[in-house]
Amino acid sequence: MKKASKRAPWPVIILITAFLCPTELSLYIAGLRFPPHRVALFILFPIAIVRLFSQRGLKLTGFDIFFVLFNVWITALYMHHQGAQEGLVYGGSQALESLGGYLVARVWVRTQADLRATMRALGWAIFVAAMFALPEFLLGKIYTHEILHQWTGYYHPIGYEQRLGFTRAYSVFDHPIHYGTFCATMAAMYWYAENTLKNRIKKAALLISATIMGLSSAPLLCLGLQGGMLVWDRMTKRLRNRAVITFTIIAGLYIGASLVSTRGPIAVMATSMTLDPWTGFYRLQIWENGIANVWQYPLIGIGLADWQRPAWMVSSTIDAFWLVIMLRTGVPSLLLLIIGFTLLIRRVNKHGLKNKDPKVRNLARGWMMSFIALSMISTTVHLWNVPFTFFFFFVGCAGWIADPLKVRAKASKPVTARLEPE
């Protein structure tokens, strides 16, 4: 049996370390900018490809294929929209970040011990990020980006925004939302990975404290969703058909809200479940106008062209990950992702939630809750640069559950008794 890992695999450590490197530390090669995490992936990606096809006990599955098809599709469409060279550069960069992040986790996180070691490394990364965020949160200056701007000459756009009397911290990330999302995503996994209530509370305190310093509604909502699912899981543990009951209750609440509200449930949530109601309203407008653009070009999207919207919506930013995918590269690209996620979730359910080992079941349950929460907040957050890679890295961390490493005992030849002459 494979010996339990005491530390995360070295490629995983390299990538997590790159997540913490600010964008000012980018390299410039042939006129192209390579952020630190992209440099790491540029090195690790070919090694991961070789390992995918050569590692014993690892096989290419349906969800792997659909994630590859997604990246092939978006690269081809960017080449169609932007021209062969520019499209290949942009689409290839997107594919490197998404497929590369996914494969690093997929081929190097292959056992329960690997995942736990990876989570420990991510826990330390969150702690480090929080230490950079703390002085920004309390003292009102974006220290990391300001200092690196002076050292490197590269200027990353930052804004000073006060909420609840504190400053939204960037830490080492490109935006406070990115920082908060990085800290909040795996809360349910950390909860289920610990065996004692004391350790669970310690991890929860770290994640909540770190996330709060970004003062972003979506990451805080991500924590709240995971907390709600943890409570619901505890309350319904002995309830039969609880999945059906849960979806029935959710559907009932949605229909009820639709009947009593003139704005609709989604509009109510968008404008009320945010620290800034205007932000929620604006994101709702992004969805309404963005979907109109999607239906104009449903198959191939609009590439990097500007999208149509009212004149008062000055910014071209689209704060919705799933909407950006459809808008830029068409509805088929999102369908490819959804099929890949569905196949992965089915196998996590089969090999994880129904596993005989309670520790594996807990990790699978935690991953599922974290994935649901991250997917939901991605309707109001655009994941780019580090969060984009981190999202697919997180997805790849479930690969060992969906495609478990089969440990085969060495076949021993049957011993046949022979009578030897005396």
Side-chain angles (χ1 to χ4, degrees):
M1 183 176 292
K2 186 176 179 178
K3 188 176 180 180
S5 303
K6 292 184 179 180
R7 62 178 61 181
W10 65 267
V12 170
I13 293 177
I14 289 176
L15 186 57
I16 292 174
T17 303
F19 287 160
L20 296 178
C21 294
T23 191
E24 287 87 353
L25 300 180
S26 300
L27 295 180
Y28 291 85
I29 303 175
L32 300 176
R33 187 174 72 88
F34 286 82
H37 71 285
R38 198 178 294 170
V39 173
L41 290 173
F42 193 79
I43 298 170
L44 296 174
F45 185 77
I47 305 174
I49 290 291
V50 172
R51 192 174 176 88
L52 177 65
F53 291 102
S54 63
Q55 185 181 10
R56 189 175 181 180
L58 178 62
K59 60 182 180 181
L60 197 66
T61 62
F63 53 83
D64 294 319
I65 293 172
F66 274 95
F67 293 146
V68 171
L69 290 175
F70 164 74
N71 286 281
V72 171
W73 175 270
I74 64 172
T75 302
L77 279 184
Y78 280 122
M79 292 175 67
H80 168 76
H81 287 297
Q82 312 304 134
Q85 183 175 355
E86 183 182 349
L88 180 60
V89 170
Y90 188 86
S93 298
Q94 292 272 293
L96 176 66
E97 291 187 337
S98 58
L99 188 59
Y102 170 78
L103 286 179
V104 168
R106 179 74 171 93
V107 304
W108 276 291
V109 181
R110 293 298 299 139
T111 65
Q112 181 183 162
D114 290 337
L115 179 63
R116 290 182 179 276
T118 298
M119 291 177 66
R120 285 195 296 271
L122 280 168
W124 279 108
I126 292 171
F127 175 78
V128 170
M131 291 300 99
F132 278 95
L134 184 60
E136 299 179 350
F137 176 73
L138 295 176
L139 303 178
K141 291 194 67 177
I142 312 302
Y143 289 101
T144 303
H145 289 295
E146 289 185 351
I147 292 173
L148 288 177
H149 169 56
Q150 296 175 1
W151 288 356
T152 66
Y154 178 84
Y155 174 71
H156 175 71
I158 56 175
Y160 289 90
E161 188 175 354
Q162 296 281 327
R163 287 182 178 176
L164 305 177
F166 296 96
T167 301
R168 300 183 69 190
Y170 279 70
S171 183
V172 295
F173 293 88
D174 291 341
H175 195 279
I177 293 179
H178 290 185
Y179 161 69
T181 301
F182 181 76
C183 296
T185 293
M186 300 176 68
M189 288 190 70
Y190 280 109
W191 183 269
Y192 278 117
E194 297 296 339
N195 296 322
T196 65
L197 181 61
K198 181 180 178 181
N199 288 336
R200 286 177 171 177
I201 292 175
K202 284 182 179 179
K203 288 292 174 63
L206 168 63
L207 298 179
I208 293 171
S209 301
T211 304
I212 285 175
M213 288 188 286
L215 290 172
S216 298
S217 304
L220 292 173
L221 179 59
C222 183
L223 285 179
L225 288 169
Q226 291 176 86
M229 284 185 278
L230 288 170
V231 172
W232 182 252
D233 179 63
R234 180 76 175 180
M235 292 174 59
T236 62
K237 204 167 188 177
R238 299 179 181 178
L239 199 63
R240 290 184 179 182
N241 300 320
R242 61 176 178 169
V244 176
I245 294 173
T246 301
F247 285 117
T248 302
I249 292 174
I250 293 173
L253 291 173
Y254 185 90
I255 294 171
S258 300
L259 294 175
V260 301
S261 174
T262 57
R263 293 186 296 161
I266 295 178
V268 171
M269 288 188 292
T271 55
S272 61
M273 298 182 68
T274 58
L275 294 175
D276 183 355
W278 166 252
T279 301
F281 171 77
Y282 193 85
R283 286 177 178 169
L284 183 61
Q285 297 304 308
I286 287 175
W287 265 99
E288 290 181 354
N289 290 279
I291 285 294
N293 282 255
V294 169
W295 295 138
Q296 288 181 356
Y297 306 95
L299 293 181
I300 62 173
I302 64 172
L304 298 178
D306 198 10
W307 56 296
Q308 298 177 11
R309 59 194 183 278
W312 63 268
M313 296 179 69
V314 179
S315 175
S316 62
T317 301
I318 305 172
D319 292 323
F321 178 58
W322 308 119
L323 179 59
V324 169
I325 291 174
M326 292 189 291
L327 187 61
R328 299 299 181 199
T329 54
V331 176
S333 60
L334 182 61
L335 292 178
L336 289 172
L337 264 189
I338 290 174
I339 294 172
F341 291 148
T342 302
L343 294 175
L344 176 62
I345 288 170
R346 286 183 61 184
R347 290 180 66 101
V348 169
N349 178 63
K350 178 181 178 181
H351 298 290
L353 297 180
K354 298 179 181 179
N355 198 286
K356 294 180 180 179
D357 187 345
K359 293 182 178 179
V360 174
R361 290 200 304 270
N362 280 340
L363 287 171
R365 187 173 291 110
W367 180 87
M368 196 81 77
M369 291 180 181
S370 294
F371 177 77
I372 291 171
L374 181 58
S375 298
M376 291 183 70
I377 70 163
S378 295
T379 59
T380 61
V381 174
H382 178 35
L383 306 176
W384 45 278
N385 271 3
V386 169
F388 183 65
T389 299
F390 176 66
F391 175 83
F392 286 96
F393 174 81
F394 165 75
V395 171
C397 283
W400 72 276
I401 305 174
D403 176 31
L405 184 64
K406 295 179 176 61
V407 181
R408 298 180 180 179
K410 292 183 179 180
S412 56
K413 295 181 179 180
V415 179
T416 304
R418 289 193 306 166
L419 295 176
E420 297 289 341
E422 297 182 2

